[in-house]
Amino acid sequence: MTSKTHSKQISIAIIGAGISGLSCATRLQKLGFEVEVYEKSRGVSGRMSTRNGDGWNADHGAQYFTARDPLFIEELNHWIQSEAASIWNPCLKVYKQGQWHDSISSENRYVGTPNMTAPGKFLARNLSIQLNQTIDQIAIKKGKWSLHSIEGGDIQKKFDWLVLALPAPQALALTQQMDLKIKGWVSNANMQGCWTVIVSPNQNLNTDFDAAFVNNEIISWISRNNSKPNRIGREVWIIHANPQWSQEWIELDRDAAAKLILDCAKKLGLDFGDSKVSIHRWRYASGHVNPASCPIINQDLKLGFCGDWLRGGRVEGAWLSGYELASQIEILQK
């Protein structure tokens, strides 16, 4: 293992404070590296996100996550013990061929508590993170990385390593002149958007399910946010459009997209009437390459990539991607 005395001299910048970036950062810091995280948003957790409204809040990004890998199960247990996550047992249905069916899935589903940002905040608790910093330029000179942000200009500190914990197209935009290999990975990732509608009904909907998968419609998922543990406030429903439709209509006017999605919900028997509606457009919500046999690193440049798109998608893939990249960096620094 790299000694803390030695590795503390090695500084690493991580762009992106989603689960993969936070996972990579916490692992590197435990190994003794000096880590600084830069995030364009005003908070951490990326697509494990929550929106707050007047008397309500709703997880409008990742809806839940599963755990299959022993390493991630071990991490999840830390989250649960710290009350940052909990199991969710929704009454689950499936809509297919014009009919509703009970889901036969028995897989455990987990959520952050009291909202989906909690695991990210748990990971971030001991990290140095610079929020509201959109890194738009990177450069390497004499073996040191320099960064530039839209908000603050040139960042004074220089770094030995750079990690991009970003969706594939954003990683490509920063590195396409430096690492040609990333182009192939990005095209294979085929990341697609997701239109998300958040509905706060005037009165609670009388349904016999908490969440549902929807097949062959504009909508692919719908859930009652309040069915998750520790949720408070007014009833809120989350509706996700399917990735293919979302990507095809990613530039559609927000209100027009919301109307088409709500019309589809009404066709399925979910009439929200004159409810309060918010809409969010995720430009890069899904898509991934086949899990890589090893993390993506340009050893000569000391440049690494992590994200769910490099590890099969999902929250678990994001966490594993960051963890494995950190472990590989430690091996290279021995």
Side-chain angles (χ1 to χ4, degrees), residues 208-230:
D208 59 352
F209 63 85
D210 298 315
F213 295 102
V214 179
N215 294 292
N216 302 317
E217 299 285 349
I218 289 175
I219 292 171
S220 63
W221 167 264
I222 184 165
S223 70
R224 184 169 62 86
N225 200 77
N226 304 61
S227 66
K228 297 175 181 178
N230 295 2

Side-chain angles (χ1 to χ4, degrees), residues 15 38 133-138 147-150 155 174:
I15 304 176
Y38 295 88
Q133 291 292 313
T134 307
I135 306 301
D136 62 338
Q137 296 173 37
I138 59 175
L147 311 178
H148 178 279
S149 81
I150 292 174
I155 290 166
L174 281 175

Side-chain angles (χ1 to χ4, degrees), residues 139-208:
I140 188 166
K141 188 175 181 181
K142 296 182 179 177
K144 292 281 188 177
W145 283 100
S146 60
L147 311 178
H148 178 279
S149 81
I150 292 174
E151 297 83 359
D154 289 329
I155 290 166
Q156 189 172 4
K157 185 170 178 56
K158 304 295 186 280
F159 299 92
D160 299 303
W161 276 85
L162 177 61
V163 169
L164 300 187
L166 299 169
Q170 293 176 347
L172 175 62
L174 281 175
T175 63
Q176 58 185 342
Q177 303 303 322
M178 298 179 178
D179 191 336
L180 298 178
K181 185 168 60 174
I182 192 67
K183 285 189 176 181
W185 287 97
V186 168
S187 60
N188 287 335
N190 189 30
M191 295 199 79
Q192 296 179 306
C194 179
W195 279 109
T196 299
V197 173
I198 307 162
V199 189
S200 179
N202 295 323
Q203 56 186 25
N204 290 356
L205 233 60
N206 183 23
T207 62
D208 59 352

